[in-house]
């Protein structure tokens, strides 16, 4: 169900300003061809914020070709946020699986949950050329991790253990994927043009299908792992969106699933801003050359329940 919330009213000045948190994802900073371009171009987005969180795929770290540039962009990001007095937090994605030890996090007492989103799909990236290998490798890694764990679990622990196993397997598959993807691209280049076009159509079809099933998977994920979360924020699929999932029987009445889009292809980035108990969803305007900024007003603003 599409989100239908009233536009946020104009904020009024108050002596005690609520803490402002800005959330972005999929900037792909060290990709020289696409992505946000530069750290400086992103700088206007965090002005006035107390904390900045990147929800995965901040830089390109898997391939040796972009790894040095990735470390340079991270240093620039740390320097600029420190100069602006903004606390920086990085969550790992499938393009930067070891940029941080954080794979997910909770905010506002668990009412808001962030994770990149690659854990929701067994193939990590179902639109990838190496999709079959990714699915098989992730399943294999999860099985190895499960077999290696000999500690007994009580009734409440298996779900949490399975969650961690999936995260670990996804991360290992992401680290290894670039090698297999390079081989897949090489093999595809040897095919005839009609076959290459047909494979491209198949990839686009898989991406479209994934987009249609992602909200349901995201809601089930939150229901199983974070049942008290009212807002669950993902990146990964590069297409922005927001859905309300009725949850009458659970701890929260309605859960909002949010995707923040991407600065990569297609470039339709969004930002989530948390101020006190208000959560707002913003379009990001601008470009790598002109710099980025938030739209004049949020697309919508919701409020965290007092008991959330």
């Amino acid at each position: 169900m599409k989100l239908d919330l009233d536009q946020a009213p104009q904020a009024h000045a108050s002596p005690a300003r609520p803490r402002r948190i800005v959330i972005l994802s999929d900037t792909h900073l060290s990709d020289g061809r696409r992505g946000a371009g530069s750290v400086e171009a992103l700088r206007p987005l965090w002005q006035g914020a107390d904390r900045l969180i990147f929800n995965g795929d901040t830089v390109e770290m898997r391939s040796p070709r972009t790894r040095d540039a990735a470390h340079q962009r991270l240093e620039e990001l740390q320097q600029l946020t420190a100069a602006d007095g903004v606390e920086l937090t990085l969550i790992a994605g499938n393009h930067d699986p070891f940029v941080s030890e954080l794979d997910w996090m909770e905010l506002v007492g668990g009412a808001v949950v962030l994770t990149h989103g690659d854990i929701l799909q067994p193939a990590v990236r179902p639109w990838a050329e190496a999709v079959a290998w990714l699915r098989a490798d992730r399943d294999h890694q999860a099985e190895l991790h499960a077999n290696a764990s000999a500690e007994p679990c009580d009734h409440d622990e298996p779900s949490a253990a399975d969650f961690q196993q999936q995260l670990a397997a996804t991360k290992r598959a992401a680290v290894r994927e670039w090698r297999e993807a390079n081989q897949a691209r090489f093999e595809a280049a040897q095919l005839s043009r009609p076959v290459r076009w047909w494979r491209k159509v198949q990839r686009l079809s898989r991406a479209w299908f994934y987009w249609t099933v992602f909200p349901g998977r995201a809601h089930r994920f939150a229901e199983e792992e974070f049942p008290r979360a009212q807002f669950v924020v993902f990146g990964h699929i590069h297409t922005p969106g927001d859905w309300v999932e009725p949850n009458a029987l659970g701890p929260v009445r309605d859960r909002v699933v949010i995707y923040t889009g991407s600065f990569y292809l297609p470039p339709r980035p969004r930002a989530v801003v948390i101020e006190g108990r208000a959560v707002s969803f913003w379009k990001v305007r601008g470009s790598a050359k002109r710099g980025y900024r938030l739209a004049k007003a949020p697309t919508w603003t919701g409020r965290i329940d007092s008991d959330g």
Side-chain angles (χ1 to χ4, degrees):
M1 181 171 64
K2 185 65 179 174
L3 189 66
D4 185 17
L5 297 174
D6 293 334
Q7 183 173 305
Q10 294 294 321
H12 298 282
S14 61
R17 179 180 67 85
R19 181 173 169 83
R20 180 179 174 91
I21 302 172
V22 174
I23 302 166
L24 306 170
S25 77
D26 297 89
T27 52
H28 295 273
L29 277 169
S30 53
D31 189 303
R33 302 166 299 166
R34 294 163 288 190
S38 69
V39 178
E40 188 66 45
L42 294 171
R43 196 174 190 180
L45 295 176
W46 67 70
Q47 297 306 306
D50 300 287
R51 187 175 188 181
L52 173 67
I53 302 174
F54 284 88
N55 192 18
D57 287 2
T58 307
V59 291
E60 294 281 346
M61 299 193 75
R62 300 175 306 159
S63 170
R65 179 179 61 84
T66 58
R67 204 163 291 157
D68 289 343
H71 288 294
Q72 292 174 7
R73 299 295 87 77
L74 288 175
E75 289 181 7
E76 293 171 11
L77 187 57
Q78 292 167 348
Q79 292 170 359
L80 290 182
T81 51
D84 294 338
V86 177
E87 178 186 352
L88 174 65
T89 302
L90 301 174
I91 296 175
N94 59 297
H95 284 252
D96 52 5
F98 293 120
V99 73
S100 167
E101 293 183 354
L102 289 174
D103 296 301
W104 59 275
M105 68 183 306
E106 295 176 291
L107 299 170
V108 199
V112 182
V113 170
L114 317 178
T115 190
H116 182 59
D118 45 346
I119 188 177
L120 298 181
Q121 168 60 37
V124 184
R125 294 197 307 141
W127 51 86
E129 292 170 333
V131 60
W133 179 90
L134 271 170
R135 182 184 293 110
D137 187 71
R138 183 180 181 273
D139 291 345
H140 178 64
Q141 294 293 332
E143 183 179 355
L144 289 177
H145 189 85
N147 292 339
S149 177
E151 296 183 4
C153 296
D154 63 29
H155 180 71
D156 295 328
E157 289 180 345
S159 177
D162 183 63
F163 175 43
Q164 294 301 327
Q165 290 166 11
Q166 291 182 52
L167 283 171
T170 300
K171 179 172 289 190
R172 285 192 291 268
V175 170
R176 289 151 49 97
E177 184 214 349
W178 72 270
R179 304 173 193 165
E180 196 69 21
N182 286 340
Q183 179 63 26
R185 280 191 290 268
F186 174 79
E187 293 174 355
Q190 315 306 312
L191 301 173
S192 65
R193 181 173 295 180
V195 174
R196 291 202 303 271
W197 274 104
W198 174 242
R199 287 197 173 186
K200 188 173 184 179
V201 170
Q202 288 180 315
R203 291 177 60 197
L204 291 174
S205 298
R206 289 197 300 266
W208 176 84
F209 175 76
Y210 189 32
W211 166 248
T212 64
V213 302
F214 197 92
R217 291 188 179 189
H219 179 67
R220 289 193 296 273
F221 166 82
E223 184 64 27
E224 293 174 3
E225 307 298 345
F226 303 99
R228 296 191 176 277
Q230 294 176 244
F231 298 87
V232 188
V233 184
F234 300 93
H236 188 50
I237 59 175
H238 288 203
T239 304
D242 45 84
W243 282 261
V244 171
E245 294 283 352
N247 192 40
L249 299 179
V252 299
R253 184 184 63 184
D254 295 315
R255 178 174 294 110
V256 185
V257 173
I258 304 170
Y259 319 120
T260 48
S262 173
F263 292 79
Y264 200 67
L265 293 176
R268 296 173 59 198
R270 300 292 187 268
V272 172
V273 177
I274 303 174
E275 293 184 274
R277 305 195 75 82
V279 179
S280 53
F281 192 47
W282 298 73
K283 289 184 178 180
V284 175
R285 307 295 192 187
S287 66
K289 291 184 178 180
R290 295 182 287 115
Y292 299 97
R293 66 188 186 282
L294 296 179
K296 293 183 179 180
T299 304
W300 54 261
T301 295
R303 191 158 188 84
I304 297 169
D305 294 341
S306 59
D307 57 349

